[in-house]
Amino acid sequence: MKKLIIHGPAFTALDADHVQALADCLVAIDDHGWIERVLTPGDQDFERVRQAAKKAGQLRELAKGEYLLPGFIDLHVHAPQWPQAGLALDRPLEEWLNHYTFPLEAKFSDRDFAARVYQDFVHTLLAHGTTTAMMFGTIHVSANLELAAQCRRQGLRGFVGQVAMDNPEETPEYYRDASPAAALRASEDFIQRVQETAGADDLVTPVITPRFVPSCTAETLAGLGKLAAKYDLPIQSHVSESNWESQYAIDHFGMHDAVTLDHFGLLTHRAVMAHGTQLTHEDMGLLKERQTALAHCPISNAYFGNGVLPVHYLLAAGNRLGLGSDISGGYTPSLYHNIRQAVKSSRMLEDGVDSKRPASERGVAASRITVTNAFYLATVGGARALNIKSGQIKAGYRADLQVVSAHSSFTPLSTQDVFERLLYQTEAADIRGVYVNGHLVYEN
């Protein structure tokens, strides 16, 4: 690719509480897709660099009202569930899985069906400003390879998992691995085939993926922990997602599922665990000690989590934390919508929801988060969870970016006002362009 300069205003998170607003900047992207420099008008060679890029046909000037943001990082996605997004969310989790989700995922034994779904889904993620996604596939190696191929073809940075689920007590006969040996063999086959087809700066990383503790036998969990160590790979699963899932681990292993996952070597600095609404303070401390990240899925949690993740507490405690859409436990792939729900859920946690109780006893004090906190989760937090140099508009980081058009305003807005309105009002139609590794992979 050739070098690129993007000229215009930008917002990027510095940390969980601070956003840097650049009213006018040049983001210089090298021919390998890295951000080389970020220049502002105070820099001596700002105008020289801009003019040289314009002359060379390497300049993108943002239109009036357009802003540059880091691409969003979705830490928890069930890619095969895309066809059922928005369906049956009023059902209990166990019923939703057995009557809707598992029958759908079983259809991915047909690679042609998988290709049609994944082509549309990867395009849709990019169209919503998501540049990196950590995704569950199914138990079918061929379908998961199709998901990997679509990521490469369309330019999405994909962390893709071969799902392991072999417990006959909690998985249907028509959709499960035949045995622990079969689950582990399929996982290793998928890993090797992804790695064999990888190119330079490859966009796809295979992920060790036990569906969750109830779906897997102890032998499979142990074997997956060994595979993760053997290949030094990321791990993804669910942890303390609901009352039912949390209780299952206690009843069958005599310990919380966080401790169960750790017992099998599945809590590492490369692991991302979703939901966590039932975590105890001891569980949270274990995740922090292991440097295991949490994927906060606020929309999905409202339906199936039986609680609200204490984001403010976790950030203050130093836990690693990002944001997830949880398609299709969440009905939308938009992390903008999940940013908004994260703020709303935190306020409900702090204020409480039972008006029959005294206000002082209703909620959990000091639980509110800001939209800045939520923006951090969708960008920097996600990148740190995946150990990738992305999520910031900063020299030395991947040029994973989105160009967003702000809605019209009839009154003057401060810089903070503009930032907040972008996060609260942006829809897919407002996303003008998306870059991954400096390549324009989506344009509207």
Side-chain angles (χ1 to χ4, degrees):
M1 62 170 285
K2 65 179 182 179
K3 292 186 177 183
L4 174 68
I5 304 288
I6 301 177
H7 179 210
F11 292 102
T12 186
L14 298 175
D15 55 38
D17 297 306
H18 300 93
V19 169
Q20 182 182 29
L22 298 166
D24 186 20
C25 69
L26 297 175
V27 178
I29 301 165
D30 70 18
D31 51 9
H32 296 290
W34 295 88
I35 298 175
E36 198 170 42
R37 306 171 69 188
V38 179
L39 301 169
T40 59
D43 292 305
Q44 188 174 4
D45 55 350
F46 178 91
E47 189 56 28
R48 179 190 62 79
V49 170
R50 191 185 76 83
Q51 290 294 343
K54 185 176 181 179
K55 184 176 180 180
Q58 297 172 349
L59 180 68
R60 175 167 181 168
E61 292 268 15
L62 300 192
K64 183 179 180 181
E66 290 184 346
Y67 294 84
L68 190 66
L69 304 178
F72 286 156
I73 298 167
D74 192 334
L75 288 183
H76 188 61
V77 183
H78 290 270
Q81 294 176 21
W82 177 230
Q84 71 173 29
L87 299 179
L89 294 175
D90 55 350
R91 306 301 177 94
L93 177 60
E94 192 171 8
E95 180 183 336
W96 180 80
L97 286 171
N98 287 307
H99 293 284
Y100 296 89
T101 304
F102 292 157
L104 171 61
E105 292 191 16
K107 293 180 180 179
F108 284 77
S109 60
D110 179 349
R111 184 161 182 165
D112 290 338
F113 176 73
R116 292 196 304 273
V117 172
Y118 291 151
Q119 180 181 22
D120 183 75
F121 183 56
V122 169
H123 173 80
T124 302
L125 286 175
L126 293 168
H128 283 83
T130 295
T131 52
T132 297
M134 192 175 209
M135 297 176 282
F136 282 56
T138 61
I139 65 172
H140 313 104
V141 173
S142 64
N144 298 330
L145 291 172
E146 182 60 39
L147 178 55
Q150 286 295 336
C151 290
R152 287 169 173 156
R153 194 170 299 136
Q154 296 191 51
L156 178 74
R157 192 181 304 284
F159 288 73
V160 179
Q162 169 79 26
V163 171
M165 43 187 287
D166 70 318
N167 181 4
E169 294 179 8
E170 295 296 337
T171 55
E173 185 176 1
Y174 65 83
Y175 183 55
R176 68 167 174 251
D177 293 301
S179 65
L184 297 172
R185 186 166 55 248
S187 293
E188 189 158 27
D189 181 31
F190 175 70
I191 292 164
Q192 292 175 348
R193 292 177 70 178
V194 170
Q195 292 181 340
E196 286 167 3
T197 54
D201 293 331
D202 194 61
L203 288 171
V204 179
T205 301
V207 182
I208 300 295
T209 308
R211 188 178 198 106
F212 58 178
V213 168
S215 293
C216 298
T217 61
E219 187 177 347
T220 294
L221 292 171
L224 291 172
K226 292 174 182 175
L227 277 181
K230 177 180 177 180
Y231 289 95
D232 187 26
L233 287 176
I235 302 163
Q236 62 181 343
S237 192
H238 304 76
V239 66
S240 296
E241 176 180 4
S242 64
N243 294 334
W244 166 71
E245 186 224 352
S246 182
Q247 191 61 45
Y248 182 93
I250 294 169
D251 292 342
H252 289 76
F253 291 96
M255 49 191 169
H256 290 183
D257 54 354
V259 181
T260 303
L261 290 163
D262 186 53
H263 173 75
F264 292 112
L266 294 166
L267 294 189
T268 72
H269 75 287
R270 300 200 68 187
V272 177
M273 298 291 148
H275 304 296
T277 57
Q278 309 302 314
L279 291 169
T280 65
H281 288 298
E282 291 76 18
D283 296 333
M284 295 177 198
L286 176 61
L287 292 170
K288 179 184 176 182
E289 182 181 344
R290 298 289 185 262
Q291 297 183 61
T292 296
L294 277 165
H296 179 34
C297 306
I299 292 179
S300 175
N301 289 348
Y303 292 105
F304 297 125
N306 306 128
V308 177
L309 186 74
V311 173
H312 186 275
Y313 173 88
L314 288 160
L315 288 174
N319 283 76
R320 301 170 78 189
L321 188 63
L323 204 61
S325 66
D326 193 25
I327 289 291
S328 66
Y331 56 80
T332 174
S334 171
L335 286 193
Y336 286 97
H337 283 243
N338 279 278
I339 283 170
R340 296 160 202 165
Q341 184 63 47
V343 176
K344 287 184 281 187
S345 293
S346 76
R347 296 190 68 160
M348 294 175 76
L349 179 61
E350 179 167 297
D351 295 342
V353 296
D354 185 356
S355 61
K356 296 181 178 63
R357 298 177 63 86
S360 60
E361 300 175 7
R362 227 178 270 162
V364 180
S367 291
R368 295 189 188 198
I369 66 169
T370 66
V371 73
T372 296
N373 299 151
F375 178 64
Y376 165 87
L377 297 183
T379 55
V380 178
R384 290 178 177 173
L386 295 176
N387 302 287
I388 58 175
K389 297 283 280 186
S390 184
Q392 288 179 282
I393 302 175
K394 183 177 178 181
Y397 281 65
R398 288 289 186 184
D400 296 348
L401 307 163
Q402 55 178 314
V403 177
V404 181
S405 180
H407 290 200
S408 299
S409 174
F410 298 97
T411 57
L413 297 176
S414 69
T415 301
Q416 181 65 21
D417 291 340
V418 171
F419 170 71
E420 292 188 4
R421 284 190 64 175
L422 283 173
L423 295 185
Y424 279 117
Q425 294 193 325
T426 295
E427 301 292 345
D430 304 308
I431 297 172
R432 300 298 180 219
V434 176
Y435 294 84
V436 177
N437 271 358
H439 292 277
L440 182 64
V441 295
Y442 171 81
E443 191 166 27
N444 178 14

